[in-house]
Amino acid sequence: MADSLRDLLRTPAAPVRLPELDPRGTPLAPGSKERTREVMIAEGQRLAELQERLYAEGVTGGHRRLLLVLQGMDTSGKGGVVRHVVGSVQPQGVQYTAFKKPTPEELRHSFLWRVRKAVPAPGLVGVFDRSHYEDVLIGRVRELAAPEVVERRYREIVRFEAQLAQDGVTIVKVFLHLSPWEQKQRLLARLDDSAKRWKFNPGDIDERELWPAYQRAYETVLERTDSDAAPWYVVPADRKWYRNWAVGRLLLETLTELDPRLPEPSYDVAEQRDRLIEEHPIS
């Protein structure tokens, strides 16, 4: 591809300053909202083709897989990305995991225990809707873990992701960069729509009071855990149409570079065609 969105949205070098990054930006957008949606449909078809090839590789003994990690403040659009972007590929080739509050069993293990179990199998596109990063974000902001524990977890995450890369997992980490103003509008829209009120949690308003602390926590995450093996991309998320296209384009660029190939058949194609043509009618 002539222009790389991955290069453009890759998290900037430290120190990361999120207020300096425009959440309403539209870098490399194909055009207007309508034009971008048209392009997204075409690119979604190509993405589905590449995903099918990756799946075929895995079914026939390949070890490569792709992991999309989605992080962002409430209403930033993690669910929308899953619906509009990941939903464009074959569901049989997708492994989706939404990480919620740890269960008592999960709390008895290392914070990476439940994450290791959710790593996608060969040939699959894995999606983490929230992830192991919750343990360093909430742990820091809500002071649920001591500072030295949070520091240790940054290092554990980097080692964990490096091991995944060695095992054939290509990692695409996306921070959906939302403005507090846009989040407010989306929360109001939920309250004003009876069909969406089930999505609203009064605690979301309480969390808004911690917005500056969360932004600093995300800046630290981006600085400490960005690597060539597991890069972070900061995707402007105020415009839903751009957010969806951008994440899809990041996946398309990544899969294009992986260049999965359909496996060659282990049988003689001509021989099998003759067998079918010459078989006796089935009564």
Side-chain angles (χ1 to χ4, degrees):
M1 297 182 179
D3 296 311
S4 172
L5 193 64
R6 290 184 300 170
D7 289 343
L8 199 59
L9 297 185
R10 179 75 179 267
T11 187
V16 176
R17 296 288 184 263
L18 287 176
E20 297 175 3
L21 304 177
D22 184 6
R24 292 187 63 79
T26 58
L28 278 188
S32 65
K33 178 179 179 178
E34 292 71 23
R35 172 57 181 162
T36 298
R37 284 177 171 170
E38 292 174 358
V39 170
M40 185 177 171
I41 292 173
E43 292 184 345
Q45 293 173 346
R46 176 58 178 162
L47 183 64
E49 292 172 4
L50 291 168
Q51 181 252 355
E52 183 176 13
R53 294 182 187 182
L54 183 68
Y55 180 74
E57 275 191 6
V59 169
T60 55
H63 67 283
R64 298 195 297 176
R65 42 265 172 81
L66 178 66
L67 174 60
L68 171 64
V69 175
L70 295 172
Q71 287 287 158
M73 299 294 287
D74 289 328
T75 76
S76 59
K78 296 178 288 293
V81 167
V82 172
R83 184 166 57 254
H84 295 288
V85 179
V86 182
S88 67
V89 303
Q90 290 294 329
Q92 67 180 6
V94 176
Q95 182 174 316
Y96 170 78
T97 305
F99 289 97
K100 305 296 185 182
K101 182 180 179 179
T103 65
E105 179 186 12
E106 290 168 344
L107 287 172
R108 290 194 292 270
H109 296 81
S110 160
F111 81 102
L112 288 174
W113 180 74
R114 65 175 182 167
V115 179
R116 293 182 190 278
K117 297 198 317 179
V119 172
L124 298 185
V125 173
V127 181
F128 283 0
D129 183 344
R130 300 189 186 273
S131 66
H132 41 298
Y133 285 98
E134 293 297 296
D135 291 276
V136 291
L137 290 163
I138 296 178
R140 171 177 170 168
V141 173
R142 288 289 185 179
E143 299 182 348
L144 301 177
E148 59 270 20
V149 172
V150 174
E151 287 294 328
R152 184 173 69 246
R153 286 178 177 177
Y154 292 134
R155 296 190 293 271
E156 290 179 20
I157 286 173
V158 171
R159 288 195 296 269
F160 168 62
E161 292 177 344
Q163 183 59 57
L164 289 184
Q166 292 176 4
D167 292 342
V169 182
T170 297
I171 306 170
V172 177
K173 299 184 299 190
V174 172
F175 170 59
L176 299 173
H177 184 32
L178 186 73
S179 70
W181 181 88
E182 180 61 26
Q183 186 197 55
K184 184 175 185 177
Q185 305 312 306
R186 293 180 186 181
L187 289 174
L188 286 170
R190 288 180 179 180
L191 287 172
D192 293 341
D193 186 342
S194 60
K196 294 183 178 180
R197 286 175 188 156
W198 66 271
K199 295 183 179 181
F200 183 83
N201 184 334
D204 294 340
I205 299 177
D206 299 327
E207 289 293 289
R208 281 178 60 80
E209 296 179 3
L210 298 172
W211 189 280
Y214 272 111
Q215 295 301 288
R216 289 192 295 271
Y218 269 113
E219 289 170 348
T220 302
V221 161
L222 296 173
E223 291 175 357
R224 303 284 185 85
T225 64
D226 176 72
S227 69
D228 290 338
W232 271 109
Y233 301 101
V234 180
V235 172
D238 274 17
R239 302 177 193 271
K240 296 178 181 180
W241 59 271
Y242 177 80
R243 174 201 69 202
N244 293 338
W245 171 78
V247 177
R249 179 63 178 263
L250 291 173
L251 292 179
L252 179 58
E253 289 183 9
T254 302
L255 274 173
T256 298
E257 185 176 272
L258 282 176
D259 193 23
R261 303 296 181 91
L262 293 175
E264 292 296 329
S266 58
Y267 50 84
D268 186 308
V269 175
E271 178 184 348
Q272 300 308 312
R273 289 189 78 260
D274 290 343
R275 287 182 61 200
L276 279 171
I277 292 171
E278 296 171 4
E279 72 176 0
H280 296 294
I282 297 175
S283 57

